Amino acid sequence: MKAPTPPQLRKLKAAAKTAAGRAYAPYSRFTVGAAILTASGKVYSGCNVENASYGLTNCAERTAIFNAVAAGEKKLRLQCVVVYTPTDMPTAPCGACRQVINEFGPKARILSICRGKGQISSSTHELLPDSFGPASLG
Ligand code: THU
């Protein structure tokens, strides 16, 4: 999958950062924003949404992807996922989010950025080798 253009990347980073500001994270106080670029060039974003029943928390990455599906993206194909945290170190997607990213973006690029300088760039395959996905069902 081709890399986002510099303007697309700027837009994704800005959208992920804005989304982090919308996080509902009163329990962990760990705010996360995510923005996705679809193969058709659209950007969707999402934040983490926690719950008093902690296990019901939805991560930023999944919120962004579900947001795209809910907006009518019938054949969603992820080109790039940007994750932003206002921390010194970047945050890689959790296991559940890796599985959901794989569903819609087996060839995607995942970039984690933060307030600090560090970043992590990985392919879906690097994050989830030997994956179970749509093709596994035959
Ligand atoms: N979180 C995300 O939103 N994305 C990740 O990839 C890692 C974790 C959220 C879930 C929870 O609201 C908070 O960060 C602390 O785990």
Side-chain angles (χ1 to χ4, degrees):
M1 183 79 68
K2 60 183 186 313
T5 63
Q8 283 175 324
L9 196 55
R10 276 198 296 277
K11 189 174 172 183
L12 283 168
K13 287 179 175 179
K17 199 169 177 176
T18 298
R22 297 176 183 157
Y24 177 72
Y27 307 107
S28 73
R29 303 257 167 222
F30 191 79
T31 62
V32 187
I36 59 171
L37 176 66
T38 70
S40 56
K42 287 191 183 160
V43 170
Y44 295 91
S45 63
C47 57
N48 52 332
V49 182
E50 298 186 345
N51 193 278
S53 178
Y54 299 165
L56 299 183
T57 290
N58 206 70
C59 292
E61 297 90 323
R62 279 176 289 145
T63 303
I65 291 169
F66 297 160
N67 202 10
V69 173
E73 292 284 347
K74 284 272 175 228
K75 291 182 175 173
L76 178 60
R77 210 70 184 152
L78 304 176
Q79 185 180 334
C80 185
V81 178
V82 172
V83 182
Y84 173 83
T85 47
T87 53
D88 292 339
M89 300 292 282
T91 301
C94 80
C97 290
R98 292 175 191 209
Q99 182 68 28
V100 174
I101 290 168
N102 182 62
E103 182 80 15
F104 298 104
K107 303 274 182 230
R109 168 103 341 228
I110 298 95
L111 180 68
S112 296
I113 57 169
C114 60
R115 201 171 40 200
K117 282 200 182 100
Q119 60 173 49
I120 308 169
S121 175
S122 327
S123 64
T124 302
H125 183 74
E126 284 167 336
L127 293 182
L128 198 69
D130 302 320
S131 65
F132 177 82
S136 312
L137 296 172

